[in-house]
C-alpha cells in the first residue's frame, strides 16, 4: 500500500530539504566570497583559479544527472542519497582551508559539485512528491532557503577574516559550513523518502469530434516529443539563469577590486547585497505564488533582470575602469535590481515544467544538467 504523509511527517521532510538548501546556498556563494584569499593561499593568478569554478560546475553537472537516475532507479532511497551527498560535501569543504595548490582545490570543489548536484536534483523532486499540486509556495520556500544561505555566506567569510590573527584566514568559515552541512546529513538519515506522485496524462491535442483511438506507439511518441520539448526548453532557461547568478556572484568581488578600486570587504558586501536582494525576491515570491500563476511571476522576474543588467551596463560605460564614484553607485544599484529580478526564476521555471508534464527523477536531472551547463 502506498505510504501517505500526514501533516507532521510531511513538514519534517520539508524542513530537512529547506535546511539542506541553506547549506547549499552557503557553499555555492563561498567560492566567490573567498576568491581573493584562495588566490593568496595557493599563489595562483585569477586566470588559474577560475578553473576551480569550471570543475565545480562540471562536478555539479555529473551529480545532477546521476541524482535523477538514482532516484528513479532506487525510489525509496532518495533521502539517504541526499544524506550521503551532504556528508561528502561536508568532508570536502572542511579540507579547503588546508589546500595549498590549485590542483587540490579543483579536486575538492569538483567532488563538492558532484554531491551538491545530486542533492539539488533529488530535493526539487521530493518537494513535488510531498506537496503535489500545492507545491508552489513550498518550492518558492525551498529556493528562498538557498538564497538565505547564499547571503549569509560572504558575511561569514568576512567575519572569519576579521576575527583571525592574520586578518585574512577563511578557515573558521569553511569549518562552520562543513559542520552545518554534516548536521543536515544527520537530519536526513531520519527522513523517509516520500512516495512518487501519479504520472500525469498529457493531452497533446484537443478535438471537438470523437475520433478513433490512435495507435499506442504514435501516442507515446507524440507525448514523448511534447515532454522532451518542455524539459529541454526549461533546462535551457535554467542554464541562462544559473550562469548569470553564479557568474555575477562569483566574480563581482574581483571586478569591484580591479575595476573600481574597492577593498576586499567592500566587494564582499556587494556580493552580500546581490544575494540579499535575491533572497528578498524569493521570500516575496512565497505569498505571491498564492495569487499569481508561475508564468506572470516568471515574466516579472525576467523584466527586472533585464533592467538590472541595463543598470550594470550603464555603470560599466560611465564608471568602469576608473574607480569613479558614479561607477560604484551604478554597481550597487545594479547588483540590487539584478538580484531581485533573478529571485524566483529557478523555482518558477521548475513549477512551470511540472505544470505541463511529469517531472520524474530523470526529467529533473535534465533541468539540473542544463543549470550546470550554464554555470
Amino acid at each position: 500500500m502506498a505510504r501517505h504523509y500526514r501533516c507532521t511527517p510531511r513538514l519534517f521532510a520539508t524542513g530537512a530539504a529547506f535546511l539542506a538548501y541553506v547549506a547549499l546556498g552557503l557553499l555555492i556563494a563561498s567560492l566567490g566570497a573567498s576568491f581573493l584569499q584562495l588566490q593568496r593561499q595557493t599563489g595562483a593568478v585569477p586566470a588559474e583559479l577560475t578553473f576551480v569554478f569550471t570543475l565545480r560546475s562540471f562536478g555539479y553537472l555529473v551529480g545532477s544527472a546521476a541524482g535523477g537516475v538514482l532516484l528513479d532507479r532506487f525510489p525509496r532511497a532518495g533521502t539517504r542519497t541526499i544524506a550521503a551527498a551532504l556528508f561528502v560535501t561536508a568532508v570536502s569543504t572542511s579540507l579547503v582551508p588546508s589546500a595549498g595548490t590549485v590542483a587540490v582545490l579543483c579536486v575538492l570543489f569538483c567532488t563538492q559539485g558532484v554531491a551538491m548536484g545530486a542533492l539539488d536534483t533529488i530535493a526539487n523532486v521530493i518537494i513535488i512528491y510531498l506537496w503535489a499540486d500545492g507545491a508552489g509556495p513550498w518550492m518558492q520556500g525551498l529556493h528562498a532557503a538557498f538564497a538565505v544561505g547564499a547571503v549569509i555566506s560572504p558575511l561569514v567569510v568576512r567575519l572569519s577574516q576579521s576575527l583571525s590573527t592574520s586578518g585574512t584566514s577563511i578557515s573558521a568559515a569553511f569549518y562552520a559550513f562543513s559542520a552545518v552541512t554534516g548536521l543536515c546529513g544527520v537530519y536526513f538519515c531520519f527522513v523517509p523518502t516520500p512516495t512518487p506522485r501519479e504520472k500525469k496524462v498529457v493531452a497533446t491535442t484537443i478535438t471537438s469530434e470523437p475520433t478513433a483511438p490512435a495507435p499506442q506507439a504514435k501516442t507515446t511518441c507524440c507525448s514523448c516529443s511534447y515532454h522532451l520539448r518542455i524539459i529541454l526548453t526549461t533546462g535551457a532557461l535554467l542554464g541562462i539563469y544559473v550562469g548569470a547568478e553564479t557568474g555575477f556572484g562569483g566574480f563581482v568581488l574581483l571586478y569591484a577590486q580591479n575595476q573600481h578600486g574597492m577593498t576586499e570587504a567592500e566587494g564582499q558586501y556587494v556580493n552580500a547585497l546581490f544575494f540579499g536582494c535575491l533572497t528578498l525576491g524569493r521570500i516575496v515570491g512565497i505569498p505571491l505564488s498564492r495569487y499569481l500563476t508561475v508564468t506572470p511571476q516568471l515574466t516579472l522576474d525576467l523584466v527586472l533582470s533585464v533592467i538590472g543588467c541595463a543598470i550594470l551596463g550603464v555603470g560599466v560605460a560611465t564608471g568602469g575602469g576608473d574607480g569613479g564614484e558614479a561607477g560604484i553607485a551604478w554597481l550597487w544599484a545594479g547588483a540590487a535590481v539584478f538580484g531581485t529580478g533573478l529571485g524566483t526564476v529557478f523555482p518558477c521555471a521548475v513549477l512551470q515544467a511540472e505544470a505541463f508534464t511529469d517531472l520524474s527523477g530523470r526529467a529533473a536531472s535534465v533541468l539540473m544538467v542544463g543549470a550546470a551547463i550554464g554555470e
Side-chain angles (χ1 to χ4, degrees), residues 29 31-36 50 53 150 154 243-276 312 316 327-328 330-336 338-339:
L31 184 51
S34 58
F35 188 93
L36 296 180
T50 56
F53 284 89
E245 179 198 292
T246 57
F248 188 89
F251 292 103
V252 67
L253 171 59
L254 189 65
Y255 172 80
Q257 184 185 59
N258 289 349
Q259 298 299 316
H260 295 291
M262 298 173 72
T263 65
E264 183 175 2
E266 289 171 336
Q268 288 168 335
Y269 292 141
V270 174
N271 195 343
L273 174 68
F274 168 70
F275 283 113
L312 291 168
V316 171
I328 293 174
W330 283 110
L331 176 61
W332 282 95
F338 190 44

Side-chain angles (χ1 to χ4, degrees), residues 13-284:
T14 303
F18 278 28
L19 287 176
Y21 253 58
V22 171
L24 189 64
L26 288 170
L27 298 171
I28 289 292
S30 66
L31 184 51
S34 58
F35 188 93
L36 296 180
Q37 173 54 22
L38 291 174
Q39 181 184 342
R40 291 189 290 265
Q41 179 177 310
T42 58
V45 298
E48 293 174 331
L49 205 57
T50 56
F51 283 108
V52 177
F53 284 89
T54 303
L55 285 176
R56 184 179 71 170
S57 301
F58 176 75
Y60 212 101
L61 188 154
V62 173
S64 298
V69 173
L70 287 172
L71 183 60
D72 283 349
R73 181 69 179 83
F74 306 103
R76 295 183 179 275
T79 53
R80 291 197 294 274
T81 303
I82 290 180
L86 286 166
F87 290 138
V88 170
T89 303
V91 172
S92 60
T93 301
S94 69
L95 296 175
V96 169
S98 59
T101 65
V102 173
V104 174
L105 277 181
C106 285
V107 171
L108 292 175
F109 277 103
C110 184
T111 302
Q112 185 190 81
V114 172
M116 291 192 302
L119 184 161
D120 201 1
T121 298
I122 298 173
N124 276 276
V125 177
I126 282 178
I127 289 295
I128 292 172
Y129 286 174
L130 286 169
W131 296 99
D133 292 335
W138 300 101
M139 184 67 75
Q140 298 286 357
L142 179 71
H143 289 271
F146 169 89
V148 169
V151 72
I152 292 173
S153 185
L155 299 178
V156 174
V157 172
R158 179 71 250 154
L159 180 64
S160 173
Q161 292 179 312
S162 63
L163 294 179
S164 66
T165 54
S166 64
T168 60
S169 175
I170 58 174
S171 297
F174 276 83
Y175 293 150
F177 297 156
S178 175
V180 170
T181 305
L183 289 174
C184 289
V186 173
Y187 188 165
F188 259 101
C189 289
F190 299 95
V191 178
T193 302
T195 303
R197 63 182 299 187
E198 293 182 1
K199 293 184 180 295
K200 288 182 172 64
V201 177
V202 179
T204 56
T205 59
I206 299 176
T207 61
S208 57
E209 297 292 334
T211 57
Q216 183 63 37
K218 185 174 293 185
T219 302
T220 302
C221 177
C222 185
S223 298
C224 178
S225 176
Y226 176 87
H227 172 81
L228 189 61
R229 289 198 302 271
I230 294 294
I231 295 301
L232 290 179
T233 303
T234 306
L237 173 61
L238 291 180
I240 295 170
Y241 160 76
V242 175
E245 179 198 292
T246 57
F248 188 89
F251 292 103
V252 67
L253 171 59
L254 189 65
Y255 172 80
Q257 184 185 59
N258 289 349
Q259 298 299 316
H260 295 291
M262 298 173 72
T263 65
E264 183 175 2
E266 289 171 336
Q268 288 168 335
Y269 292 141
V270 174
N271 195 343
L273 174 68
F274 168 70
F275 283 113
C277 290
L278 189 145
T279 304
L280 177 63
R282 288 187 174 175
I283 291 174
V284 171

Side-chain angles (χ1 to χ4, degrees), residues 139-140 143 238 282 294 342-352:
M139 184 67 75
Q140 298 286 357
H143 289 271
L238 291 180
R282 288 187 174 175
V294 292
L342 292 179
T344 61
V345 172
F346 200 116
C348 282
V350 174
L351 288 169
Q352 184 159 264

